Structures are given as structure tokens and as C-alpha cells.
Amino acid sequence: MQAVIMAAGEGKRMRPLTETKPKPLIEVGGKPLIEHVLDALPKEIDEVIIVLGYKGDMIRERLGNSYNGLPIKYVHQWMQAGTAHALSLARPFLSGRFLLLNADDILGREAIEEAVKHPLSIMAIRHDDPSKFGVIKVRDNGTMESIVEKPQEFIGSLVSTGAMVIDDRIFGYDVAKHEAAGEYFMTDPLGKMAAEHPILVIEQPVYIPVGYPEDIPKAEARLKELGR
């Protein structure tokens, strides 16, 4: 099974730290964010595809062609056009099911291991400020009914962590540009896919997004609590 890691963002909110290095290489607890992500991959993953962008050569130089024996391929996102656009660039290398993750979020390994056991799944968590995320509505059977990117009005507090197990059918859905952001987000094709195929919603109790420099000590404290 393959894993795709989104690592192309410019990390503007992490300035000045990202003026000299890409956000996935910012260290938390003495280790780059992207290595936290790689270390959480389950045993089912046998290849990683990393979507590079801003200062991507530094990530390539850091990781090389493999990480702890796991082969790595790289693709380059030449423009900041959103997560759906980034994923589309990896399409030539993908076949069947794959795990999709962000390079700058630290997640719990146990929930990821559970997610890959199911044909299609998405990891979610309750959040106090859901307006910054994709908000998920769940059916009675535990599958995703819909997902709305950064809703202007409150529609729920269950948000996507951006981590999911999907398959190459995702590329069969048209993607519309998000009016406010001007980018193509995964929430659009994902919502269309959920209307036709059951995507199980799995609780991810460990979700540590690092968006601003002041989030780093908070993340380190959380990792210490977890014994990581």
C-alpha cells in the first residue's frame, strides 16, 4: 500500500522559521515534522510519495530515496493551488488504495493503523474552532455524509485531520476552485466520493497541527505527555 504525503506548502504562518527551510523540516522535539509523519506509518505501507513545493530540494536532500528502508518517490507542485491539485500530481504513480497525510501534522499511530484496515476511511477529531477546517457530517452508520471546507457558519465541531484512506477513484470527480481561498481542496472530490462510496469516519485522538511558531512548545509538551 502506498502513502502520499503533502509537503508542498509555503508555511507562511510559520515565518520567520520558514524563511530558511520548508515547514516539514521544522523540528518539534528534536525531529522534523515530516519524520514524525513517516515514523507513524503502519506496516502496510511499502512506498511513500512526497509532494514537494516550497524549498522542496531541502526535503529531498534530508530524506533521500528511502527512509528506514521505505522507498520514496517525489513529485513537484509548481504552484500553490491546494491539496486536490497536489494530489493530482501524484496520480501517475498511484494504483488502488492509498493513505493520504499532511507533512506538518503529528498524528497518533493507532488510529492510522485502524484506518488502513478499512477500504475507505477518514480520521477526524472534535475541535473548538471548526471554521479553520473541513467539517464532517456523519451518517448513523458511522460513514461520512458530507464535508465542508472552512464553513462560514457553524455546522458542527467534527473536523477532518486531513488524513484518510482513499483510492484512485477519487480522480474521477471534478474539482471546483474554492471561491474564498482560490485553491482546489480535497473536500470537494472527497464529498462527492462519500455520496457514492462509504467512507468510514475514525476518531483520531492524537492530532497535533503545528501552524504557528508558538505551536511548537505546545506540540512538544503534548508529545511529552504521550511519552513520545
Side-chain angles (χ1 to χ4, degrees), residues 125-136:
I125 191 171
R126 299 283 174 185
H127 201 279
D128 293 337
D129 189 5
S131 64
K132 296 179 180 179
F133 302 87
V135 178
I136 296 172

Side-chain angles (χ1 to χ4, degrees), residues 3 5 28-43 45 48 62-63 66-70 72 99 101-103 105-110 112-113 223 228:
I5 300 178
V28 174
K31 184 165 64 176
L33 282 165
I34 195 168
E35 292 186 14
H36 283 282
V37 176
L38 289 165
D39 287 340
L41 293 177
K43 65 181 185 301
I45 301 302
V48 175
R62 169 79 186 199
L63 299 177
S66 66
Y67 181 82
N68 290 337
L70 194 60
I72 298 176
L99 173 64
L101 301 165
N102 292 318
D105 295 330
I106 300 174
L107 301 173
R109 184 187 179 99
E110 292 77 10
I112 299 175
E113 291 174 342
L223 288 174
R228 292 171 57 182

Side-chain angles (χ1 to χ4, degrees), residues 7 9-14 17-18 21-27 32-34 54 59 103-105 209-212:
E10 192 172 341
K12 293 180 179 178
R13 296 177 300 170
M14 285 293 288
L17 299 180
T18 50
K21 66 174 64 176
K23 186 180 177 185
L25 292 186
I26 298 297
E27 292 194 358
L33 282 165
I34 195 168
Y54 176 73
I59 297 175
D104 51 3
D105 295 330
V210 183
Y212 299 87

Side-chain angles (χ1 to χ4, degrees), residues 2-218:
Q2 297 166 295
V4 179
I5 300 178
M6 305 286 203
E10 192 172 341
K12 293 180 179 178
R13 296 177 300 170
M14 285 293 288
R15 290 175 180 168
L17 299 180
T18 50
E19 290 176 356
T20 56
K21 66 174 64 176
K23 186 180 177 185
L25 292 186
I26 298 297
E27 292 194 358
V28 174
K31 184 165 64 176
L33 282 165
I34 195 168
E35 292 186 14
H36 283 282
V37 176
L38 289 165
D39 287 340
L41 293 177
K43 65 181 185 301
E44 287 84 356
I45 301 302
D46 53 23
E47 183 183 53
V48 175
I49 300 168
I50 300 178
V51 183
L52 301 175
Y54 176 73
K55 297 187 181 297
D57 287 345
M58 296 181 69
I59 297 175
R60 189 193 295 262
E61 291 170 8
R62 169 79 186 199
L63 299 177
N65 294 323
S66 66
Y67 181 82
N68 290 337
L70 194 60
I72 298 176
K73 289 180 181 177
Y74 298 94
V75 296
H76 181 73
Q77 186 182 27
W78 64 91
M79 59 186 289
Q80 296 295 312
T83 50
H85 177 262
L87 180 61
S88 71
L89 301 175
R91 182 178 184 177
F93 304 103
L94 294 170
S95 176
R97 294 168 63 244
F98 58 91
L99 173 64
L100 179 63
L101 301 165
N102 292 318
D104 51 3
D105 295 330
I106 300 174
L107 301 173
R109 184 187 179 99
E110 292 77 10
I112 299 175
E113 291 174 342
E114 178 63 25
V116 300
K117 294 177 182 178
H118 304 277
L120 302 171
S121 60
I122 185 167
M123 284 162 266
I125 191 171
R126 299 283 174 185
H127 201 279
D128 293 337
D129 189 5
S131 64
K132 296 179 180 179
F133 302 87
V135 178
I136 296 172
K137 186 175 181 181
V138 184
R139 299 186 181 95
D140 291 339
N141 65 359
T143 63
M144 187 173 75
E145 179 178 334
S146 63
I147 181 168
V148 179
E149 182 71 31
K150 298 178 176 64
Q152 299 295 309
E153 299 179 358
F154 180 83
I155 59 174
S157 61
L158 186 67
V159 305
S160 167
T161 63
M164 62 196 75
V165 174
I166 49 180
D167 59 36
D168 51 12
R169 289 176 294 182
I170 194 73
F171 300 114
Y173 298 97
D174 293 333
V175 184
K177 182 182 290 187
H178 189 274
E179 292 184 6
E183 296 183 355
Y184 299 90
F185 291 119
M186 280 300 301
T187 44
D188 187 16
L190 191 63
K192 294 172 182 175
M193 189 176 198
E196 299 180 358
H197 307 285
I199 301 176
L200 186 66
V201 179
I202 293 175
E203 181 183 355
Q204 172 54 277
V206 181
Y207 175 50
I208 311 174
V210 183
Y212 299 87
E214 56 267 28
D215 290 335
I216 294 176
K218 298 175 185 176

